[in-house]
Amino acid sequence: MDNGDIACDGYHKYKEDVKLMAETGLRAFRFSISWSRLILNGRGSINPKGLQFYKNFIQELVRHGIEPHVTLYHYDHPQYLEDDYGGWINRRIIKDFTAYADVCFREFGRYVKFWTTINEANIFTIGGYNDGNSPPGRCSFPGRNCLLGNSSTETYIVGHNLLLAHASVSRLFKQKYKDIQGGSVGFSLYAFDFTPSTSSKDDEIATQRANDFYLGWMLEPVIYGHYPDAMKKTVGSRLPVFSEEESEQVKGSSDFIETIHYLTASVTKNEMNPSLSRITDFNSDLGVSINSSFFSEGQVCWFSMGYGRHPGVYKAALWQSPVYILENGKIMKQDLELQQKDTPRIEYLEAYIGAVLKAVRNGSDTRGYFVWSFMDLYELLTGYEHSYGLYSVNFSDPQRKRSPKLSALWYSGFLKGKTTFLGSQGIMQSHSNFSSSS
């Protein structure tokens, strides 16, 4: 219930921010283009101010030696399309989304070589159309604030349309732009590190089921052109079917796999009979209990464990495909004194990056890693109450002053090859440097 109209005011402060990125040592920056700011009603005329801003921002990044990684869709589409035909619940959006992507490729493709079509497609779909706790807030559960929706069917319809839209955009890029501009197109999924709660066979099967529903749901189509067998069997006629032509278009439509990863999760076989639930939805179809927590120092994440937990398709996708980690970071309460000396965030990043390094040494083709987030901002679910930023933003200051947290100094040192910044000795050194700079 906060106001996001200005937030960190990147629109006016982009030159200052890019300079700060360069000083920090960033080689790449991942950001999203807002469809509504570029094409107000989702189709038709282009907003010249939106177009000019994104051109200016992208060129500013390139001038400072920072590679732009662009996401085309990050939870927001023009209200007009929602009012006109229901947005993602209608296949008409595939054509409009492809036309919007065409504008982006044409206008920005000279400088942008890495494109993500949909941001964390699985979680966007579950949150927006099953649970109703994120945009556009559709569900059919009594007692929630959803005015519209059908959690039993819309979750799968929207997921299907997202995959077809991604495939359509990928095909457009390859046919029209790839030979001229170079570049590549990927698809982003939110990934849990699922582990069985116990060593029992039941929990092992439940863990594979969780992988099928959360990862396989959209990973198998982009690799093999079809949904996981477990989903087909459980969801039945509520799960849309790809035509033979659509299956071929979706199959192989991602040049790389992109994951957003923060959490580990233990999985337990759900003793409750899903059929007893009043509403059949994604969660009742899943039929397992999940208890999640943030990756922490001492834990070994799924990247470093190899593909043992992800047999079959997940082994192929996550260990034989190029992988980019689009988001990873540590959430903390928005308290200035705590935030500026955010040692827990450093410990988290140090442990996670170390796990990724192990994965690369073990054969993972992980090519990029992005910390979420460069600075404090307006978070989707918690507003200004919590933050992930390496730099704090004073939201009560009209100038939105940026200040480095301890994690910003640590990360900058890491990027610049000051290896003494790694480990507890490095954290102590960061404290010393932070005190000196303060």
Side-chain angles (χ1 to χ4, degrees):
M1 302 303 293
D2 287 317
N3 187 304
D5 288 355
I6 298 176
C8 54
D9 200 19
Y11 179 75
H12 293 104
K13 298 175 73 68
Y14 74 92
K15 287 187 177 181
E16 173 189 329
D17 289 342
V18 173
K19 185 172 182 289
L20 189 59
M21 293 173 202
E23 291 171 353
T24 303
L26 298 193
R27 297 288 188 271
F29 185 71
R30 180 263 176 139
F31 67 97
S32 304
I33 290 175
S34 173
W35 189 350
S36 301
R37 293 180 176 181
L38 195 61
I39 308 172
L40 177 62
N41 289 328
R43 56 179 179 265
S45 60
I46 299 171
N47 171 19
K49 287 187 177 180
L51 178 65
Q52 194 59 53
F53 167 73
Y54 286 120
K55 281 188 173 181
N56 291 345
F57 180 53
I58 290 168
Q59 290 173 21
E60 192 74 11
L61 288 170
V62 173
R63 273 196 294 270
H64 284 79
I66 300 172
E67 183 86 53
H69 283 238
V70 175
T71 297
L72 293 172
Y73 186 80
H74 196 145
Y75 281 51
D76 60 326
H77 56 268
Q79 183 67 38
Y80 180 83
L81 302 184
E82 190 74 9
D83 297 338
D84 186 27
Y85 52 68
W88 285 108
I89 65 172
N90 195 310
R91 288 173 69 109
R92 287 172 60 186
I93 199 170
I94 298 169
K95 180 180 178 181
D96 287 334
F97 183 67
T98 305
Y100 154 63
D102 196 5
V103 171
C104 293
F105 295 151
R106 183 182 72 233
E107 299 292 343
F108 312 128
R110 178 182 174 188
Y111 298 104
V112 176
K113 305 306 173 190
F114 294 92
W115 299 95
T116 303
T117 52
I118 311 291
N119 182 72
E120 53 186 20
N122 50 352
I123 296 299
F124 162 67
T125 308
I126 296 166
Y129 297 87
N130 190 83
D131 300 341
N133 57 8
S134 61
R138 295 176 67 96
C139 71
S140 53
F141 291 98
R144 298 195 187 177
N145 292 325
C146 302
L147 299 178
L148 298 168
N150 184 335
S151 301
S152 181
T153 58
E154 286 188 3
T155 312
Y156 302 111
I157 292 169
V158 170
H160 196 72
N161 289 341
L162 287 168
L163 285 164
L164 292 174
H166 159 76
S168 175
V169 168
S170 177
R171 181 175 57 174
L172 167 76
F173 182 79
K174 289 171 182 174
Q175 290 178 347
K176 192 172 177 181
Y177 294 102
K178 190 172 181 66
D179 289 343
I180 301 169
Q181 298 176 351
S184 51
V185 174
F187 189 67
S188 158
L189 294 172
Y190 192 101
F192 286 97
D193 179 18
F194 288 124
T195 57
S197 295
T198 70
S199 58
S200 72
K201 186 68 175 176
D202 282 346
D203 287 349
E204 183 180 328
I205 294 171
T207 301
Q208 180 55 47
R209 187 174 180 84
N211 279 321
D212 282 336
F213 271 75
Y214 273 95
L215 276 176
W217 176 21
M218 296 186 182
L219 204 52
E220 286 208 24
V222 299
I223 296 172
Y224 296 130
H226 57 72
Y227 291 116
D229 290 338
M231 292 193 75
K232 293 178 186 176
K233 181 178 178 181
T234 303
V235 183
S237 61
R238 290 179 292 119
L239 186 66
V241 177
F242 294 111
S243 69
E244 189 173 332
E245 182 183 2
E246 290 169 344
S247 177
E248 286 302 312
Q249 290 174 5
V250 173
K251 181 180 177 181
S253 57
S254 278
D255 296 318
F256 44 83
I257 302 298
E258 299 168 300
T259 65
I260 290 173
H261 184 227
Y262 297 92
L263 303 172
T264 60
S266 60
V267 182
T268 307
K269 180 185 177 183
N270 198 340
E271 297 299 332
M272 184 185 73
N273 187 342
S275 65
L276 297 178
S277 174
R278 291 183 179 180
I279 296 176
T280 303
D281 73 323
F282 180 87
N283 296 313
S284 66
D285 291 335
L286 174 63
V288 303
S289 297
I290 296 173
N291 184 24
S292 62
S293 61
F294 269 80
F295 174 92
S296 62
E297 191 172 18
Q299 289 180 313
V300 183
C301 79
W302 57 289
F303 276 101
S304 61
M305 284 297 291
Y307 47 73
R309 297 181 191 165
H310 302 274
V313 64
Y314 315 119
K315 167 183 173 179
L318 301 175
W319 280 77
Q320 296 180 18
S321 299
V323 170
Y324 289 87
I325 305 167
L326 281 191
E327 289 182 28
N328 172 254
K330 173 77 170 175
I331 192 170
M332 294 180 69
K333 192 82 171 175
Q334 185 69 280
D335 180 290
L336 191 59
E337 184 178 354
L338 172 66
Q339 288 289 306
Q340 288 193 328
K341 295 192 175 181
D342 55 344
T343 303
R345 180 172 285 117
I346 298 174
E347 293 171 344
Y348 176 93
L349 295 174
E350 195 269 346
Y352 194 94
I353 293 170
V356 174
L357 175 60
K358 290 178 185 176
V360 172
R361 287 175 173 167
N362 287 337
S364 169
D365 190 10
T366 303
R367 300 187 182 185
Y369 169 88
F370 294 87
V371 174
W372 185 272
S373 55
F374 185 64
M375 67 179 66
D376 293 345
L377 41 80
Y378 180 61
E379 287 292 339
L380 178 69
L381 298 180
T382 63
Y384 300 112
E385 184 180 356
H386 295 86
S387 76
Y388 290 82
L390 301 178
Y391 288 85
S392 65
V393 176
N394 186 346
F395 293 106
S396 61
D397 176 7
Q399 301 301 315
R400 300 301 197 270
K401 186 178 188 313
R402 286 87 159 103
S403 302
K405 301 176 189 176
L406 191 63
S407 58
L409 299 180
W410 177 87
Y411 193 58
S412 181
F414 167 72
L415 292 176
K416 293 173 182 177
K418 298 177 182 178
T419 51
T420 55
F421 273 68
L422 290 173
S424 58
Q425 182 182 353
I427 293 172
M428 291 175 62
Q429 180 65 43
S430 295
H431 272 282
S432 175
N433 291 352
F434 183 83
S435 300
S436 300
S437 65
S438 298

